[in-house]
């Protein structure tokens, strides 16, 4: 109850015209930077820090919060329409979302993403306001062994995206894992698979790989098939909005995505990618329309989109309650707090209640603003699909390359983008699935690091490292998920007979 | 696409304009009420010409912040007319260093931000270019490291921790930042001083300060090592306990927040270890003696300015100004001390089971897929006999567009290159109106450029328009 009245005071801070204005600027700016791959909320906040220094802290943070949430919206729009994920958290959205757009259901995909993000953002922000202190205690108790268990569960849950052929899926997955090896070994800082090229020492940026495989790879592929295939792209089929049926298929994934995203986002090493993969895997297993997955299933957009927005709110839990930055954006927000002489941490809620609750209230407001801004724009965005294809693909390439270039301000990133695009073309021509490459690249290094840490912490004993209740049960769940198809076959015949 | 981007552009530009106006008039919150320094205090020569500061890191980190704070201070104090910050991130700064040495040689108005992490990065990455290849200008600021334990830890003093460390080195785990960074260097120095062999050190590297902090708070590691600033809030609240600070003597008492003056130094606790995560600036090789003197006095003036001192306080940095030859000798000493520590870390036989596992799985799955294809072909030759034809011309045009972008973006600039790539791709997809496409491409690129480079300050090359 105490939090509720504090939140009410927060609304009084956030609802002043000036603060509403900053929130609006934030969400619009966030949407714009979310559209460009490579330019994300972290980079934007860091570039704006020097110029916002003259603002009062509350205005600045209200704007930054808007940028953070807005970027999640912008990233999903380009994922769906252009197959160009703007953020690593929206990579999964491209899998089903772009297929929906190609089949004329882009409007519904954008709507379910926007409404799902709103629902998830609102519920998760409520969670942030009410549950932050107890949640963070649980989160801190989880160590590397538990994270490793969680990542293995995610791997097991998404093996279903391996595609029709397990063997081919494994080629893609191990290719992704191999790309993830490139760079410095996170445990001892030694170079791996860098072939003496300094550029490769920092590894390959997942956003460049995603954009290279999806956007550039597809542009290559379509160019290679130009004039040989019939155009598959249907700008709009049926209603622009979600149908009754699509609403019915969306609301449960929204809630499940929120339930996954918020707690995982609050974990110090949870991040926003892990929940999107998990949500996708779960939706694919629970859906009544498994045959639609890979061809544009709305559940595959609704779930991950809710998950990434809920995770964004979850990230603020450790930041505001402990001063723990668990994502690049949170780290920039922390730097911003410090610039203002504020010390986010256990004492922030006591020392700066107006600021903290004002920011939390502005998250609700920013979320609502985003929904109000984005829903009417759906019609306009959809028109983009009617742009003649020569111009559409020209624009995709320009956007993909400006994003890739700005990651390191280096032309080498453009070479890498082209090379990954060529791999994407080869995979498509050889009928290998593309999504597992990304899964391997993102989850592989995470799994390796957490495994290494878990074993080191347990004084180099593997059995001791995982003989913990939570870690052990997570590994058991993963095993069950992997063995499920086989077990199901064993169980079913008996039932029919009996 | 153009409409919302235009809208954003307008807003961004308006925002930047409004806030820069605010900055000119209002001043900073910490400096509220104090008059701004009106007259430039530059005494040496006329105002410096255009200065370029290269931050060999992505926006946001300590080196980037140093560059951007310098930019602001040099501008507002009138010491330089125009200052440009360029980010050249990668490989602990060694990519930026190599580019700086080759591209800026002889340029008397360029500076590169450097620091302890670059010294160790040069060694671990076997960088062919080292800090001996640049002209030292000045050390500027730095941070001391603290060793902390969670509040429930049995270790009350550094002595307790070191006793346990000596008794069973692997049982004490140290959590800190990335491998080979300042935090690991400190743990290795401690191990040397305590007589523990380097191979026994159980150092767990976390990416980013937040994750290491979470590991200490959750008591997943025995002790945490990081810059004072990273732990200050949790030390203030009592969730962490500081055992020692890596400063040569106790630091000055703080007026607010956590008072680090209460933390004993490592030296006080009978181990002779001092370490600071210092940052400084260097100039390119091959500049004249006069240019070198000019840069040294410019930086010396800057570090004395009130704006710089305020920025140090705001960011929690310690003033470590050391200019010219002295700084050069300091860098040589640091290199001699740090390099053996980090080079030894990868010594001996490496058992990288993960690399072996992944590469093995890749080979196995490629082999399995090949075998499957071979079998299918043998069974149903009709289906797999013909390979689908490719439109080589279109594919070639798109590939050319990507390669041209990589080759031309720096010399010709973002706008021209993007328009060219746009036209080529449009042609590949069957458009015949080259002039119209070029115009559309140019317009799109110009809008993106205005919004992101001009409005937001993302560095995109200007090329022919510069």
């Amino acid at each position: 109850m105490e939090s509720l009245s504090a939140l009410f005071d927060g609304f009084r801070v956030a609802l002043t015209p000036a603060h509403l204005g900053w929130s609006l600027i934030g969400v619009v700016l966030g949407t714009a930077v979310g559209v460009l791959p490579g330019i994300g909320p972290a980079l934007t906040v860091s570039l704006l820090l020097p110029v916002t220094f003259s603002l009062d802290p509350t205005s600045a943070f209200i704007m930054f919060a808007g940028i953070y949430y807005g970027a999640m919206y912008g990233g999903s729009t380009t994922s769906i329409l252009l197959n160009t994920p703007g953020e690593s958290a929206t990579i999964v959205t491209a899998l089903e979302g772009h297929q929906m757009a190609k089949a004329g259901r882009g409007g519904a995909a954008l709507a379910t993403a926007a409404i799902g993000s709103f629902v998830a953002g609102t519920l998760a922000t409520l969670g942030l306001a009410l549950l932050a202190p107890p949640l963070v205690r649980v989160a801190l108790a989880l160590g590397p062994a538990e994270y490793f268990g969680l990542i293995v569960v995610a791997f097991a849950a998404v093996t279903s995206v391996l595609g029709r052929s397990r063997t081919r899926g494994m080629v893609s997955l191990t290719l992704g894992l191999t790309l993830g090896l490139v760079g410095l070994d996170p445990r001892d800082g030694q170079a791996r698979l860098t072939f003496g090229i300094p550029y490769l020492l920092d590894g390959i940026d997942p956003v460049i790989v995603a954009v290279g495989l999806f956007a550039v790879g597809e542009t290559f592929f379509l160019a290679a098939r130009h004039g040989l295939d019939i155009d598959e792209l249907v700008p709009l089929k049926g209603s622009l909005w979600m149908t009754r049926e699509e609403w019915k298929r969306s609301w449960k994934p929204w809630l499940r995505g929120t339930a996954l995203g918020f707690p995982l986002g609050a974990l110090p090493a949870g991040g926003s990618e892990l929940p999107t993969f998990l949500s996708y895997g779960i939706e694919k297993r629970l859906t009544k329309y498994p045959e639609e997955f890979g061809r544009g299933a709305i559940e595959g957009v609704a779930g991950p989109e809710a998950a990434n927005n809920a995770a964004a709110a979850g990230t603020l839990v450790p930041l505001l309650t402990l001063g723990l930055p668990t994502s690049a954006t949170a780290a920039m927000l922390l730097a911003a707090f410090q610039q203002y002489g504020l010390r986010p941490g256990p004492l922030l809620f006591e020392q700066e209640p107006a600021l903290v609750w004002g920011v939390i209230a502005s998250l609700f407001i920013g979320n609502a603003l985003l929904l109000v801004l984005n829903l009417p724009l759906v019609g306009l965005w959809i028109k983009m699909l009617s742009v003649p294809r020569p111009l559409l693909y020209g624009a995709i390439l320009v956007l993909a390359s400006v994003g890739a270039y700005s990651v390191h301000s280096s032309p080498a990133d453009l070479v890498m983008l082209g090379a990954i695009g060529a791999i994407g073309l080869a995979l498509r021509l050889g009928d290998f699935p593309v999504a597992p490459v990304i899964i391997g690249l993102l989850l592989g290094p995470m799994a390796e690091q957490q495994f290494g840490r878990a074993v080191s912490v347990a004084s180099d004993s593997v059995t001791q490292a995982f003989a913990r209740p939570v870690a052990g049960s997570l590994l058991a769940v993963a095993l069950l998920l992997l063995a499920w198809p086989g077990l199901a076959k064993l169980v079913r015949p008996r039932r029919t007979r009996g | 696409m153009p409409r919302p981007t235009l809208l954003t552009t307008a807003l961004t530009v308006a925002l930047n304009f409004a806030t820069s106006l605010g900055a000119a008039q209002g001043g900073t919150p910490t400096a509220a009420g104090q008059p701004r320094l009106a007259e430039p205090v530059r005494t040496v020569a006329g105002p410096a010409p255009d200065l370029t500061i290269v931050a060999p890191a992505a926006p946001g980190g300590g080196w980037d912040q140093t560059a951007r704070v310098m930019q602001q201070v040099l501008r507002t104090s009138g010491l330089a007319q125009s200052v440009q910050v360029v980010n050249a991130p990668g490989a602990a700064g060694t990519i930026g260093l190599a580019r700086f040495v080759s591209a800026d040689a002889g340029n008397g108005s360029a500076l590169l931000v450097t620091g302890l992490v670059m010294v160790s990065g040069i060694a671990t990455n076997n960088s062919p270019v080292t800090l001996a290849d640049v002209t030292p200008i000045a050390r500027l600021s730095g941070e001391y490291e603290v060793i902390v334990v969670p509040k429930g830890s049995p270790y009350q003093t550094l002595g307790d921790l070191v006793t346990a460390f000596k008794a069973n080195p692997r049982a004490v785990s140290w959590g800190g930042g990335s491998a080979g960074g300042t935090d690991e260097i400190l743990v290795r120095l401690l191990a040397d001083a305590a007589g523990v062999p380097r191979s026994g050190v159980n150092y767990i590297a976390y990416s980013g300060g937040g994750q290491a902090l979470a590991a200490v708070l959750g008591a997943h590691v025995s002790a945490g090592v990081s810059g004072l600033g990273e732990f200050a809030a949790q030390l203030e609240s009592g969730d962490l306990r500081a055992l020692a600070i890596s400063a040569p003597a106790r630091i000055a008492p703080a007026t607010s927040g956590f008072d680090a003056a209460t933390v004993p130094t490592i030296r006080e606790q009978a181990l002779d270890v001092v370490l600071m995560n210092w940052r400084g600036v260097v100039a390119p090789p091959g500049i004249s003696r006069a240019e070198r003197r000019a840069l040294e006095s410019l930086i010396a003036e800057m570090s004395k300015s009130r704006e710089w001192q305020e920025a140090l306080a705001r960011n929690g940095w310690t003033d470590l100004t050391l200019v010219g030859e002295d700084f050069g000798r300091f860098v040589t000493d640091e290199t001699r001390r740090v390099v053996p520590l980090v080079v030894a870390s990868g010594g001996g036989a490496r058992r990288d089971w993960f690399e072996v596992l992944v590469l093995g799985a890749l080979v196995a799955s490629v082999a399995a897929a090949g075998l499957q294809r071979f079998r299918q072909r043998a069974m149903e030759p009709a289906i797999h006999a013909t390979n689908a034809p490719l439109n080589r011309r279109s594919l070639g045009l798109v590939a050319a567009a990507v390669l041209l972008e990589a080759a031309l973006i720096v010399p010709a600039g973002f706008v021209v290159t993007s328009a060219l790539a746009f036209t080529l791709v449009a042609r590949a997809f069957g458009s015949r109106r080259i002039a119209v496409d070029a115009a559309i491409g140019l317009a799109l690129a110009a809008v993106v450029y205005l919004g992101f480079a001009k409005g937001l300050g993302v560095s995109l090359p200007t090329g022919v328009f510069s």
Side-chain angles (χ1 to χ4, degrees):
Chain A
M1 281 307 105
E2 204 183 311
S3 333
L4 278 183
S5 71
L7 183 61
F8 183 72
D9 288 338
F11 271 106
R12 273 205 300 233
V13 173
L15 279 173
T16 57
H19 287 157
L20 273 177
W22 288 114
S23 187
L24 185 68
I25 291 178
V27 296
V28 172
L29 206 56
T31 310
V33 298
V35 163
L36 279 193
I39 302 180
L43 186 75
T44 311
V45 172
S46 76
L47 290 170
L48 284 178
L49 263 188
V51 283
T52 50
F53 191 61
S54 48
L55 289 177
D56 72 289
T58 312
S59 303
F61 284 107
I62 283 178
M63 182 175 73
F64 291 158
I67 291 175
Y68 193 21
Y69 274 20
M72 295 291 160
Y73 274 78
S76 51
T77 306
T78 44
S79 280
I80 291 168
L81 295 177
L82 306 178
N83 209 9
T84 307
E87 309 299 322
S88 57
T90 60
I91 289 173
V92 175
T93 309
L95 296 181
E96 298 302 318
H98 189 61
Q99 295 304 321
M100 284 182 75
K102 272 180 153 179
R105 296 307 302 150
L110 288 172
T112 199
I115 301 168
S117 297
F118 171 75
V119 170
T122 306
L123 289 176
T125 309
L126 206 61
L128 168 68
L130 302 177
L131 299 174
L135 187 63
V136 86
R137 269 198 295 278
V138 176
L140 280 181
L142 300 183
E146 286 76 25
Y147 287 122
F148 178 74
L150 209 56
I151 295 160
V152 176
V153 170
F155 260 124
V158 291
T159 43
S160 54
V161 299
L162 290 186
R164 273 156 295 154
S165 153
R166 282 267 160 127
T167 328
R168 281 158 182 274
M170 277 308 287
V171 172
S172 299
L173 186 69
T174 48
L175 179 69
L177 289 170
T178 310
L179 289 176
L181 282 178
V182 175
L184 296 178
D185 183 331
R187 290 163 302 156
D188 60 7
Q190 297 300 302
R192 278 197 305 211
L193 299 183
T194 55
F195 310 105
I197 305 168
Y199 167 78
L200 292 176
L201 285 173
D202 285 333
I204 306 174
D205 192 297
V207 173
I208 291 187
V209 177
V211 173
L213 283 178
F214 294 166
V216 180
E218 179 140 299
T219 307
F220 278 163
F221 181 70
L222 291 172
R225 311 291 303 155
H226 179 69
L228 302 167
D229 287 337
I230 309 142
D231 199 326
E232 283 174 27
L233 199 137
V234 186
L236 184 62
K237 196 171 98 187
S239 159
L240 172 65
W241 299 102
M242 286 164 72
T243 61
R244 231 184 134 79
E245 171 76 10
E246 283 165 336
W247 275 96
K248 253 174 78 184
R249 288 174 61 179
S250 289
W251 71 270
K252 280 186 198 155
W254 290 339
L255 296 182
R256 281 193 289 260
T258 311
L260 270 176
F262 177 62
L264 286 179
L267 294 186
S272 56
E273 297 90 3
L274 198 58
T276 58
F277 281 124
L278 272 170
S279 166
Y280 185 85
I282 287 175
E283 294 311 329
K284 186 168 176 188
R285 272 161 204 273
L286 293 178
T287 181
K288 288 187 193 130
Y289 311 90
E291 73 287 350
E292 281 186 27
F293 267 77
R295 271 176 261 154
I298 195 163
E299 293 92 340
V301 181
E305 270 303 303
N308 75 32
N309 265 58
T315 310
L316 297 174
V317 171
L319 180 72
L320 292 179
T321 50
L322 287 178
L324 256 182
T326 56
S327 70
T329 314
M332 281 323 303
L333 290 175
L334 184 71
F337 276 115
Q338 283 162 349
Q339 272 231 349
Y340 284 110
L342 302 168
R343 297 180 297 278
L347 306 177
L348 187 70
F349 274 84
E350 290 166 35
Q351 288 168 347
E352 299 284 342
L355 170 74
V356 177
W357 290 105
V359 170
I360 292 178
S362 80
L363 290 173
F364 285 105
I365 294 166
N367 229 334
L369 282 176
L370 280 166
L371 188 71
V372 171
L373 284 178
N374 276 277
L375 277 186
L377 281 179
V378 166
L380 184 73
W381 290 122
I382 286 302
K383 291 224 174 64
M384 238 164 64
L385 293 174
S386 325
V387 168
R389 296 186 84 189
L391 304 183
L392 183 63
Y393 286 105
I396 288 178
L397 194 75
V398 168
L399 286 185
S401 49
V402 64
Y405 181 84
S406 55
V407 174
H408 293 122
S409 321
S410 154
D413 283 331
L414 293 176
V415 177
M416 179 56 77
L417 187 72
I420 302 280
I423 293 179
L425 172 69
L427 290 174
R428 280 179 175 79
L429 289 176
D431 197 21
F432 289 94
V434 174
V437 182
I438 291 289
I439 295 165
L441 175 75
L442 276 174
L443 297 185
M446 278 190 191
E448 180 200 7
Q449 271 189 36
Q450 300 294 4
F451 184 86
R453 280 179 198 152
V455 173
S456 288
V457 166
S459 304
D460 306 328
S461 153
V462 178
T463 42
Q464 208 186 319
F466 297 101
R468 294 163 59 113
V470 179
S473 13
L474 282 170
L475 289 176
V477 167
L479 209 66
L480 210 68
L481 277 174
L482 283 177
W484 183 247
L487 287 177
K489 264 181 213 157
L490 283 178
V491 175
R492 228 168 264 154
R494 260 184 234 154
R495 263 195 207 147
T496 43
R497 269 177 230 149
Chain B
M1 190 77 229
R3 261 164 66 184
T5 320
L6 262 176
L7 176 69
T8 353
T9 311
L11 276 166
T12 344
V13 172
L15 167 75
N16 268 356
F17 183 65
T19 44
S20 59
L21 268 184
Q25 290 164 357
T28 63
T30 44
Q34 294 167 351
R36 288 230 144 217
L37 212 59
E39 286 297 308
V41 286
R42 194 174 165 75
T43 48
V44 186
D50 299 355
L51 192 67
T52 302
I53 305 176
V54 181
W63 288 341
D64 174 67
Q65 278 179 324
T66 301
R68 287 181 196 275
V69 170
M70 283 177 72
Q71 176 186 37
Q72 233 176 0
V73 171
L74 287 169
R75 267 190 202 158
T76 51
S77 62
L79 286 168
Q81 284 175 335
S82 103
V83 186
Q84 200 198 347
V85 171
V86 178
N87 292 92
T94 53
I95 288 180
L97 175 70
R99 218 191 280 175
F100 187 68
V101 166
S102 61
D104 285 306
N107 179 355
S109 58
L111 289 171
L112 173 83
V113 182
T114 183
L116 178 67
V117 177
M118 194 183 281
V119 173
S120 94
I122 288 168
T124 46
N125 299 341
N126 288 320
S127 169
V129 181
T130 71
L131 286 173
D133 298 317
V134 290
T135 313
I137 297 297
R139 186 179 71 189
L140 286 171
S141 65
E143 265 191 301
Y144 291 111
E145 299 265 302
V146 281
I147 300 163
V148 301
V149 292
K151 67 176 169 200
S153 165
Y155 308 117
Q156 298 297 329
T157 65
L158 183 64
D160 296 348
L161 182 64
V162 170
T163 308
F165 184 43
K166 279 183 179 166
N168 185 357
R170 296 299 299 175
V172 172
S173 51
W174 305 81
S178 43
T182 316
D183 309 336
E184 190 176 16
I185 293 172
L186 180 66
V187 175
R188 285 176 183 276
L189 286 170
L190 278 174
D192 277 8
V196 172
R198 282 173 196 159
S199 58
V201 177
N202 190 359
Y203 181 82
I204 298 162
Y206 289 87
S207 47
Q211 289 196 23
L213 178 55
V216 194
L217 284 172
H220 300 293
V221 290
S222 316
V225 182
S226 192
L228 178 59
E230 307 256 15
F231 292 148
Q234 291 70 31
L235 289 169
E236 186 188 357
S237 70
D239 289 302
L240 294 179
R241 182 162 67 234
L243 299 185
I245 187 162
S246 69
R250 292 213 184 193
I251 66 173
T255 46
S256 68
F258 175 68
D259 187 6
T262 58
V263 181
T265 66
I266 301 173
R267 270 186 181 165
E268 278 175 56
Q269 304 180 70
L271 291 173
D272 189 18
V273 174
V274 171
L275 185 71
M276 54 192 163
N277 185 14
W278 56 270
R279 301 182 195 110
V281 284
V282 293
I287 62 171
S288 73
R289 182 178 287 253
E291 284 170 326
R292 182 177 179 173
R293 293 281 166 266
L295 283 171
E296 282 172 5
S297 53
L298 175 73
I299 297 304
E301 291 286 350
M302 182 201 75
S303 79
K304 273 182 250 159
S305 73
R306 202 184 58 232
E307 287 91 339
W308 177 254
Q309 293 297 329
E310 280 168 7
L312 289 180
R314 205 164 60 227
N315 288 292
W317 296 337
T318 307
D319 189 354
L320 295 173
T321 307
L322 186 71
V323 181
E325 304 291 342
D326 293 340
F327 174 54
R329 272 190 293 278
F330 170 78
V331 171
T332 315
D333 290 347
E334 281 290 271
T335 309
R336 207 170 290 148
R337 176 165 83 131
V338 165
V339 169
L341 292 174
V342 290
V343 168
S345 73
R350 256 165 68 75
R351 291 177 299 127
D352 195 347
W353 55 271
F354 189 73
E355 189 175 350
V356 174
L357 191 78
V358 166
L359 292 178
L362 177 67
V363 171
S365 56
V366 168
L371 192 69
Q372 200 180 40
R373 194 178 155 84
F374 178 77
R375 272 204 201 137
Q376 279 171 349
R377 216 182 253 183
M379 281 162 71
E380 355 168 27
I383 300 173
H384 293 276
T386 51
N387 268 329
L390 292 183
N391 185 337
R392 285 174 203 283
R393 192 181 149 274
S394 286
L395 182 58
L397 278 173
V398 177
V402 174
L403 289 177
L404 275 177
E405 275 204 301
L408 291 181
I409 192 159
V410 173
F414 168 76
V415 175
V416 174
T417 314
S418 294
L420 186 64
F422 183 91
T423 317
L424 282 174
V425 175
R427 184 96 182 92
F429 282 92
S431 172
R432 302 258 166 249
R433 312 161 304 167
I434 292 179
V436 179
D437 293 342
I440 296 174
L442 213 56
L444 176 73
V447 167
V448 171
Y449 182 79
L450 279 179
F452 287 91
K454 290 288 168 218
L456 202 54
V458 172
S459 60
L460 292 173
T462 42
V464 290
F465 290 132
S466 62

